[in-house]
């Protein structure tokens, strides 16, 4: 059973170790725990539906509430503070391409807005329900979850777009294959959502981001069906598949997605390396990325995130032994940076890749901690979001933001972003605790992923105002530093004000015209991606 006002399975609780709690109190003060709004009171706020009755559509208040939000911090503030104001008028559950087409035509007759919905894990406002006189239909793809075809010779598999990541991998595994796309939301996000937001998995350096894995499919638009064949390559003009990637439901509804799959690898190992400083660590991972060494992932935490991660891990005895070991090897606790590096493939592929990478890492004073850090990370990588529930309950809000820059801008960008975030709550006389890591490393640059923790305010309105100050300061800092406004989460409404800075007037105009062609009545998820 999923939580109605938080992340994930309500039976799963992540305990905050005492060192982690002590760290937060030391950095921010005692958390300001606030009472949650009740489910019954929120359900009473849902108005009567403005939609006509239809056999595929439910008007159940709980269903409408569940489809009124994603997992962004503003969504949480509204849910837990009881300030959510807009709800879809109904939720439809199509089970076929034809039913999706019928529902879009029905929405046209009623002049209704259509918001495609997958797993509801968006963290940037993709599912925000617009205000206005037009009724809103949430079109859930939950029942479009079948494996349609798997061709082992072509290494292609076609799925309906509403399939969850966990379902997809289970169906491939029995056939001996994997997609290998593991975003942090893997258990609850959908294949269609990954395509619509240009998602990046944690091991994308081996398997590819979703734009490399996406081979084609079908899109139902207000002006007709768009077929996208899975050609291995084509010179027939611009690739129409690129229009669908990152389109966020603005062009139509993805119903089928064909993806490039791989045999299940023989080895999938992740190692932990500690560096004595950030400078040593960055040069090492940049060198590996530029040398063409086939790693599957590199995740490099800055000193603050490294200390925080060790505090949050608990196991004080083991952490004490690790600290002593690192000191002996010349790695001081205050400046240590943890790097996780993964290698995936056959033994014949993994062994030389690991040997080459280790040689580079040791050249820059990296100290190996073996497989234990990687195994711990892998075990908990989908559990980390549950910590948001724990921290909220004791009075702290958590948010993340991410960008990507070229190597010459990495250090400056990280410093600029963290400084802007730390100064953003000065008007409230509140502190912010933030830390960063490089989550995806490329030959030309890297992503930067920053986590922000701050105390809840006394009211939902003030907590939201604090978040807005943080978000604007961070986004402006990203633009100043020459980064993209989104590396892996899409645009939604949270990043919308900054799209013009990245795309320019010509690019923004082209996107608007594209949306206007496929959706001339501005019916499909309006207010997202472009204004």
């Amino acid at each position: 059973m999923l939580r109605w006002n938080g992340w994930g399975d309500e039976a799963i609780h992540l305990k905050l170790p005492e060192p982690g709690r002590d760290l937060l109190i030391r950095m921010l003060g005692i958390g300001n725990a606030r009472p949650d709004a009740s489910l019954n009171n929120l359900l009473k706020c849902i108005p009567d539906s403005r939609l006509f009755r239809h056999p595929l559509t439910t008007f159940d208040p709980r269903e409408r509430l569940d489809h009124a939000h994603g997992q962004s911090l503003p969504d949480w503030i509204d849910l837990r503070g009881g300030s959510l104001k807009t709800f879809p008028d109904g939720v439809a559950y199509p089970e076929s391409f034809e039913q999706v087409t019928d529902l879009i035509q029905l929405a046209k007759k009623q002049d209704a807005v259509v918001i495609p919905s997958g797993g509801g894990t968006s963290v940037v406002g993709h599912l925000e329900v617009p205000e206005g006189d037009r009724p809103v239909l949430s079109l859930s793809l939950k029942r479009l979850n079948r494996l349609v075809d798997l061709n082992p010779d072509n290494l292609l598999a076609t799925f309906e777009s509403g399939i969850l990541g966990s379902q997809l991998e289970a169906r491939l595994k029995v056939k001996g294959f994997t997609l290998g796309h593991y975003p942090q939301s893997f258990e609850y996000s959908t294949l269609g959502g990954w395509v619509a937001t240009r998602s990046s998995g944690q091991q994308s350096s081996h398997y590819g981001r979703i734009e490399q894995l996406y081979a084609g499919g079908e899109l139902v638009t207000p002006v007709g069906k768009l077929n996208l064949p899975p050609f291995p390559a084509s010179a027939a003009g611009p690739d129409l598949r690129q229009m669908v990637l990152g389109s966020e439901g603005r062009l139509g509804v993805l119903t089928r997605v064909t993806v490039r799959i791989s045999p299940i690898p023989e080895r999938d190992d992740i190692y932990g390396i500690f560096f004595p400083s950030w400078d040593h660590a960055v040069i090492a991972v940049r060198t590996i990325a530029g040398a063409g060494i086939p790693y599957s992932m590199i995740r490099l935490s800055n000193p603050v995130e490294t200390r925080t991660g060790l505090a949050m891990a608990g196991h004080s005895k083991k952490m004490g032994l690790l600290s002593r070991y690192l000191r002996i090897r010349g790695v001081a606790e205050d400046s240590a940076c943890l790097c996780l590096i993964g290698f995936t493939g056959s033994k014949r592929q993994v062994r030389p890749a690991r040997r080459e990478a280790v040689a580079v890492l040791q050249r820059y004073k990296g100290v190996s901690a073996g497989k234990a850090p990687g195994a711990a990370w892998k075990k908990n990588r989908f559990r980390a979001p549950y910590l948001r529930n724990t921290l909220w309950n004791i009075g702290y809000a958590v948010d993340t933001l991410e960008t990507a820059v070229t190597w010459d801008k990495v250090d400056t960008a990280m410093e600029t972003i963290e400084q802007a975030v730390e100064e953003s709550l000065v008007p409230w006389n509140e502190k912010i605790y933030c830390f960063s890591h490089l989550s995806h490393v490329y030959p030309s640059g890297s992503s930067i992923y920053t986590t922000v923790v701050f105390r809840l305010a006394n009211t939902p309105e003030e907590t939201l105002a604090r978040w807005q100050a943080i978000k604007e300061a961070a986004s402006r800092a990203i633009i100043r530093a020459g980064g993209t406004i989104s590396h892996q989460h899409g645009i939604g409404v949270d990043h919308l004000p900054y799209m013009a800075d990245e795309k320019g007037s010509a690019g923004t105009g082209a996107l608007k015209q594209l949306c206007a062609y496929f959706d001339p009545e501005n019916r499909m998820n309006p207010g997202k991606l472009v204004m």
Side-chain angles (χ1 to χ4, degrees), residues 45-105:
C45 297
I46 299 177
D48 293 338
S49 175
R50 297 166 292 180
L51 288 169
F52 301 148
R53 299 290 160 180
H54 187 274
L56 294 175
T57 303
T58 177
F59 305 100
D60 177 74
R62 176 63 189 272
E63 294 286 336
R64 292 170 64 188
L65 171 62
D66 289 344
H67 288 79
H69 63 86
Q71 290 287 332
S72 71
L73 190 52
D75 289 329
W76 273 48
I77 292 168
D78 281 342
L79 277 172
R80 303 197 72 154
S83 53
L84 190 62
K85 295 293 190 296
T86 56
F87 307 86
D89 291 87
V91 182
Y93 291 94
E95 298 182 13
S96 67
F97 164 84
E98 290 77 17
Q99 289 180 350
V100 172
T101 303
D102 290 345
L103 286 163
I104 290 178
Q105 291 304 311

Side-chain angles (χ1 to χ4, degrees), residues 171-225:
R171 287 167 195 176
L172 287 178
K173 185 177 180 179
V174 297
K175 305 285 186 179
F177 293 96
T178 181
L179 181 63
H181 191 74
Y182 299 109
Q184 196 173 61
S185 61
F186 165 77
E187 295 172 303
Y188 303 114
S189 55
T190 64
L191 175 58
W194 299 343
V195 174
T197 58
R198 297 187 75 101
S199 169
S200 184
Q202 294 164 338
Q203 292 171 285
S204 62
S205 295
H206 177 76
Y207 294 105
R209 288 168 56 96
I210 199 64
E211 55 261 43
Q212 283 88 48
L213 297 171
Y214 173 61
E218 69 183 16
L219 183 77
V220 181
T221 84
V223 296
K225 178 181 177 181

Side-chain angles (χ1 to χ4, degrees), residues 38-50:
S38 73
L39 175 60
N40 285 338
N41 284 343
L42 258 177
L43 293 177
K44 291 175 183 177
C45 297
I46 299 177
D48 293 338
S49 175
R50 297 166 292 180

